[in-house]
Amino acid sequence: MIKINQLKLSIEHSKESLEDKIAKTLKIPKEQILHYEIAKRSIDARKKNEILYIYSIEVEVTNEKKIIDRCKNQNVVLTKKTVYQTIKDGTQPMKHRPVVVGTGPAGIFCALKLAEDGFKPIVIERGEDVDKRVETVNTFWKENKLNNESNVQFGEGGAGTFSDGKLNTLVKDVTGRNTEVLRMFVEHGAPTEILYLNKPHIGTDRLRGVVKAMRNRIIQLGGEVRFKTKLTDIQFEKDQVTSIEVNGRETIPCDVLVLAIGHSARDTFEMLYKKQFDIKSKPFAIGVRMEHPQEIISKSQYGDSYTKLPAADYKVTHQTSNGRGVYSFCMCPGGFVVNASSESDRLVVNGMSNYDRDEKNANSAIIVTVNPEDFDEDSPLAGMEFQRKWERLAYEEGKGKVPVQLFGDFEANRPSTKLGSMTPNLKGEYTLGNVRNCLPEYVCESIIEGVHAFDKKIHGFSKADAIMLGVETRTSSPIKMIRNEAFESNIAGVYPCGEGAGYAGGITSAAMDGIKVYEMIVHKYKSL
Ligand code: FAD
């Protein structure tokens, strides 16, 4: 197959002009193209008066070698598709069905792959199925009554169900796992464009259906998915898992247990620590969610062409004078800020968007790295307690509602008393206050310095009435669960997996880790 890289076309081009350009680049008549596929599409916005789409196209033709030689174009190369493959050479029999804990991307991809190979997994999830969960979360946002077991962090689909559904990852796809994740998403209802867009996203509205379709497929293949079923204890003999306890009363025997519990399962982390699982604390980042009018962002990124393009995103970073890294994270173009709390009397925010990303505000976490040295104690769970401390202060500052402050007031360290030209686009209730009371001073200073630095790249970023919402603390897991080269923990048969265990950051990398854990299981065990 031939790959054409760097094929540039105007943002308003037609399908026909793309095909013309392919033929012209290969110096062949259009009829000679047997088949073509878009492998990647990104936006080149370096020249604001000439914004272009840049394509990588895979083309099937006969006489590939001859065409390449004749083209004499370094952007036209011979290529082979990386096809995802698994070595299923396990010989050890499993005594019981494997149990997967958590239906976030890590758990669901691991479980679905196991189900496809005939392992009939039992999947347990503390939260509700996605339909009931949506109702529960909507009630929380309207009435501020939190369900500690089914919320923005917990329930079918995991933490990403109420998200922007961004699917880009920094992990290189040498094994084809990334493509496999996207393929499986599409197979279960995600838009096909995610296969080639440089920054693919699904949107919370579409993701909910995809998650449900994946669950139904697991069940169709003989698996079992149980909601409102929380892992509460693990039993083992001679350092090998033998069974688990759920909801404090029922025992499920198992010799393979996948722990895909996400970064917010604090009670489960405490149980694992008590049971002497090998856990370490790790760095993460904390800060605020910041909102700007989407128009400012889109105009800054795309100039006057912004109305012809999807809502623009941004990624900004800065090294502060106090030696900290401050950066934007999980940016949601045209989205909502959400109250993403999962513990009573504590408050945390995050962002989500629909597929169309057509809300008036852009939002992003603006966060600062924190290290175990910043935590108040030395325990492996110290980072988790550190998160709890700031989340409690946020809850108190807002008296249970999301505390909101204008950037100018944040800088002046005074509570906001009125809004400026924009209003928060928030799912949940808010109250004006001083977000600075809910974060360490070094984090606030870093944010202020960072926001001014970002204004040099995106004019208007530091506008005094830009909105800050507190606090953003669940940016990644506060712990790492150690696993060996076979991906097992210090207890054999227990596979820490995904973001909560410290092996992923985001939907796609969590799903990829779920697949990696599945590979390790089928490399050791044969199916039932
Ligand atoms: P999770 O998705 O957290 O899943 C863990 C699951 O385990 C949960 O469903 C939980 O209920 C369950 N569980 C926990 N403990 C137990 C127990 N004891 N018993 C049974 N079940 C248990 N990432 C992106 O890449 N793009 C985005 O656009 C994006 N936006 C986000 C927006 C929001 C609002 C949030 C909260 C997160 C967002 N993220 C985003 C992060 C992303 O959701 C996570 O990185 C990802 O979901 C991690 O996957 P996971 O499977 O490891 O864990």
Side-chain angles (χ1 to χ4, degrees), residues 99-102 106-107 110 114 256-261 493-497 517 521:
V99 175
V100 177
V101 187
C110 182
L114 287 170
V256 168
L257 175 68
V258 178
L259 290 179
I261 55 178
V494 177
Y495 292 82
C497 179
V517 166
I521 295 171

Side-chain angles (χ1 to χ4, degrees), residues 113-386:
K113 281 283 182 197
L114 287 170
E116 282 173 348
D117 283 0
F119 281 92
K120 299 186 172 45
I122 299 173
V123 185
I124 63 165
E125 166 57 58
R126 68 193 296 163
E128 295 165 302
D129 67 79
V130 72
D131 292 330
K132 289 206 195 87
R133 183 185 180 198
V134 167
E135 280 174 30
T136 302
V137 169
N138 281 331
T139 305
F140 166 58
W141 286 336
K142 277 191 203 118
E143 298 171 14
N144 218 9
K145 284 185 204 134
L146 178 69
N147 177 333
N148 286 18
E149 299 301 330
S150 201
N151 45 54
V152 172
Q153 309 290 346
F154 300 154
E156 185 171 22
T161 301
F162 299 91
S163 80
D164 176 51
K166 275 178 286 299
L167 299 178
N168 42 314
T169 166
L170 298 174
V171 184
K172 282 244 174 298
D173 193 27
V174 274
T175 56
R177 271 187 215 111
N178 188 352
T179 313
E180 179 67 359
V181 166
L182 299 176
R183 186 198 66 73
M184 288 169 74
F185 270 134
V186 170
E187 191 174 53
H188 293 89
T192 45
E193 71 195 20
I194 66 168
L195 296 173
Y196 62 80
L197 290 184
N198 189 35
K199 292 179 183 170
H201 94 113
I202 300 187
T204 180
D205 45 348
R206 293 210 177 179
L207 198 53
R208 295 168 192 184
V210 173
V211 161
K212 205 159 50 169
M214 292 178 89
R215 175 235 302 173
N216 288 335
R217 183 76 187 130
I218 292 171
I219 295 169
Q220 207 180 43
L221 292 164
E224 195 183 324
V225 183
R226 295 175 57 182
F227 297 104
K228 293 182 169 180
T229 307
K230 176 157 86 172
L231 169 76
T232 45
D233 201 359
I234 303 178
Q235 287 82 33
F236 34 88
E237 275 169 26
K238 294 192 191 124
D239 290 342
Q240 162 68 49
V241 63
T242 51
S243 63
I244 58 164
E245 176 201 79
V246 297
N247 294 338
R249 51 173 188 268
E250 183 192 345
T251 301
I252 303 176
C254 63
D255 37 4
V256 168
L257 175 68
V258 178
L259 290 179
I261 55 178
H263 56 33
S264 291
R266 293 172 175 169
D267 49 358
T268 313
F269 291 166
E270 282 165 341
M271 180 273 285
L272 295 169
Y273 180 51
K274 240 190 239 156
K275 299 293 277 194
Q276 300 196 330
F277 276 85
D278 202 354
I279 294 175
K280 281 194 168 57
S281 78
K282 69 177 244 325
F284 53 97
I286 64 170
V288 295
R289 224 1 77 187
M290 192 163 182
E291 286 189 281
H292 296 92
Q294 179 62 47
E295 201 179 7
I296 289 191
I297 307 300
S298 292
K299 262 190 187 165
S300 158
Q301 305 295 64
Y302 299 147
D304 291 339
S305 304
Y306 80 96
T307 50
K308 297 176 199 151
L309 285 160
D313 65 359
Y314 61 82
K315 175 121 195 69
V316 279
T317 60
H318 176 71
Q319 197 65 28
T320 62
S321 43
N322 66 12
R324 304 256 172 189
V326 52
Y327 54 98
S328 61
F329 177 75
C330 193
M331 194 264 153
C332 298
F336 304 90
V337 180
V338 297
N339 183 337
S341 306
S342 61
E343 277 187 328
S344 302
D345 303 339
R346 297 194 179 90
L347 195 142
V348 59
V349 290
N350 212 306
M352 91 177 180
S353 324
N354 285 321
Y355 173 74
D356 289 336
R357 288 177 164 171
D358 55 3
E359 294 295 317
K360 59 184 186 307
N361 290 355
N363 71 68
S364 177
I366 302 294
I367 47 172
V368 178
T369 325
V370 290
N371 304 298
E373 301 81 68
D374 297 313
F375 306 157
D376 301 325
E377 36 186 301
D378 201 17
S379 128
L381 300 185
M384 182 182 96
E385 292 305 336
F386 184 79

